[in-house]
Amino acid sequence: MTAQQPITYDAFAELAAADSAVVGLVLKGSRAHEGMTTEHSDHDLYVVLANGATTSLTRFTGHRTPELDLVILSLDEFHAVGMPGFERYALARARIVLDRLDGGIAQILAGKARLDADEAFREAGAWLDAYANSLYRSVKNDRDGHALAARLDAADSVRFLLELLFALDRRPRPYNKYLEWELAQFPLPGWDTGMLLAAADRISGTGDVSTQRRLFAQVEAVARRAGHAAVLDAWGEDLALMRPQ
């Protein structure tokens, strides 16, 4: 069998579990999020090999079919995935299929799911500034009659806002597909999930200025309590345009 010949998820998992070079199998994506699978969902599987191990399973490197998408890598490489990077959230909510390291795979995933305090503070400050920038541009463009620009900036601001709020809770931001799932399972402390999602929907869809300003008032209070007053104060008199009128 070659990497070009399809293999089912169950058949591959059985092969991998029987191979001593494999120290972990980790399933990410829809099949790791309860209730999110559809008839189109494939199995996105990380195959973690012991450092320096050799195995015939490497013949499946790059294997990708509508049913099974494989990533085969060493333990050291697995440690580094998403740190930083787009895959961090996927692995933060991944499901362990096999852990031959007495909980070592679970520990690695837990580390990806939780930003350390310094990292979280640094990222939150940067995302707060980006959020304020897009919000300010949106409100200013609306004032000046640039409707499309105002809506586009508003949509950008939602992205930065979500990055900020999850960083404040020391979590990687979920992909848009999993945002509602994530907030239903793990709400952001201090935030009403329904209100937050409704505001994000309205802002990204219409750029409504009053909604943006009301939301900013809440974000400003949260950010100041979290120690980010300097980021906000650097905006000086421009804050007046962002706040409720």
Side-chain angles (χ1 to χ4, degrees):
M1 185 175 295
T2 70
Q4 286 70 42
Q5 294 175 313
I7 183 172
T8 66
Y9 167 76
D10 289 336
F12 182 85
E14 184 177 350
L15 276 178
D19 192 323
S20 60
V22 177
V23 296
L25 294 174
V26 175
L27 193 63
K28 66 168 187 170
S30 297
R31 293 187 180 276
H33 290 72
E34 185 176 356
M36 291 294 293
T37 56
T38 72
E39 61 181 311
H40 305 293
S41 298
D42 64 356
H43 295 79
D44 293 297
L45 190 67
Y46 271 90
V47 183
V48 186
L49 305 178
N51 291 324
T54 58
T55 170
S56 62
L57 292 179
T58 54
R59 71 189 186 275
F60 291 104
T61 298
H63 184 279
R64 186 170 189 176
T65 68
E67 182 185 359
L68 179 61
D69 186 359
L70 296 176
V71 177
I72 302 175
L73 72 181
S74 71
L75 181 60
D76 283 346
E77 290 170 330
F78 185 64
H79 267 283
V81 174
M83 302 296 283
F86 189 68
E87 283 288 273
R88 186 163 188 172
Y89 174 76
L91 289 170
R93 294 292 179 224
R95 180 165 66 84
I96 296 172
V97 178
L98 176 69
D99 186 347
R100 283 203 173 103
L101 300 180
D102 296 324
I105 298 295
Q107 186 175 4
I108 293 170
L109 294 182
K112 297 180 189 295
R114 187 75 171 160
L115 282 64
D116 69 45
D118 289 342
E119 176 188 19
F121 187 84
R122 183 175 63 254
E123 290 198 2
W127 291 123
L128 174 61
D129 196 47
Y131 165 60
N133 187 293
S134 286
L135 168 62
Y136 175 73
R137 290 176 181 276
S138 177
V139 175
K140 187 172 67 169
N141 280 323
D142 180 81
R143 179 198 65 190
D144 296 341
H146 304 301
L148 176 58
R151 291 196 302 273
L152 292 174
D153 285 326
D156 286 345
S157 79
V158 172
R159 174 204 164 195
F160 300 135
L161 170 64
L162 293 172
E163 295 280 8
L164 164 63
L165 296 184
F166 280 95
L168 287 172
D169 197 36
R170 296 177 57 183
R171 291 154 61 182
R173 176 199 160 179
Y175 307 148
N176 292 332
K177 177 180 179 178
Y178 301 120
L179 177 62
E180 292 176 278
W181 182 95
E182 179 75 17
L183 291 176
Q185 302 294 321
F186 309 99
L188 288 165
W191 287 92
D192 180 289
T193 293
M195 180 282 297
L196 181 59
L197 289 174
D201 186 15
R202 184 168 179 78
I203 291 168
S204 61
T206 70
D208 182 69
V209 169
S210 61
T211 303
Q212 292 194 72
R213 284 172 166 158
R214 286 196 301 271
L215 186 57
F216 178 72
Q218 295 178 259
V219 173
E220 180 176 8
V222 168
R224 288 186 182 279
R225 287 197 299 270
H228 295 287
V231 175
L232 291 162
D233 292 340
W235 282 87
E237 295 180 358
D238 290 335
L239 287 172
L241 194 62
M242 306 180 211
R243 291 168 173 157
Q245 304 298 292

